[in-house]
Amino acid sequence: MPQTKRTKEIKIRLTEQEHQALLERMEGNQLATWIRQVSLAQRVAKPYKKADPELLRSLGRIGGNLNQLAKQANTLDKDTDKLRVFAQLAVIREQLNEVLSRHDS
């Protein structure tokens, strides 16, 4: 399908900070295309955000703890053992809340 030739031009002036803000928000690699899509309310595919390495490490540690608990929970017979696992789950819940509060976007 042939693309319609664009013949109209709009010129705007920006401060350096405004230009930088647009570049940071831009999705894709062409600012003019992104501005046109956003302005005309066309659907813009959202790219994946770059993951924070600290967040990934924290989640990895928590995931390791969960795996250990799952393995341990499968072998429980005593109520005291079950209480110990529930206490560990409460600690993990607190760790998750802390991680989420630090990386809330």
Side-chain angles (χ1 to χ4, degrees):
M1 180 167 143
Q3 186 175 9
T4 304
K5 185 174 181 181
R6 292 185 172 88
T7 59
K8 300 295 180 185
E9 183 177 323
I10 298 173
K11 185 173 183 177
I12 62 170
R13 294 189 185 277
L14 303 169
T15 65
E16 183 61 38
Q17 292 82 12
E18 291 169 333
H19 184 252
Q20 190 60 39
L22 287 175
L23 291 174
E24 290 171 4
R25 292 179 189 158
M26 177 179 71
E27 296 172 353
N29 59 3
Q30 292 187 350
L31 184 58
T33 301
W34 176 75
I35 290 172
R36 186 181 314 107
Q37 289 173 333
V38 170
S39 299
L40 296 174
Q42 294 178 4
R43 256 177 119 170
V44 177
K46 299 205 179 227
Y48 290 103
K49 290 184 179 181
K50 188 172 183 179
D52 180 347
E54 182 184 342
L55 176 61
L56 292 177
R57 283 191 294 276
S58 295
L59 291 174
R61 287 191 296 271
I62 293 168
N65 289 343
L66 288 172
N67 284 337
Q68 290 174 14
L69 285 173
K71 185 175 180 179
Q72 186 180 27
N74 286 327
T75 64
L76 296 178
D77 289 329
K78 298 182 197 173
D79 287 341
T80 54
D81 291 338
K82 291 177 186 178
L83 287 174
R84 191 174 81 244
V85 170
F86 288 130
Q88 291 172 340
L89 286 170
V91 169
I92 291 172
R93 180 178 51 205
E94 291 304 314
Q95 290 174 339
L96 283 171
N97 286 335
E98 181 182 334
V99 168
L100 290 173
S101 68
R102 283 186 293 164
H103 298 280
D104 194 19
S105 48

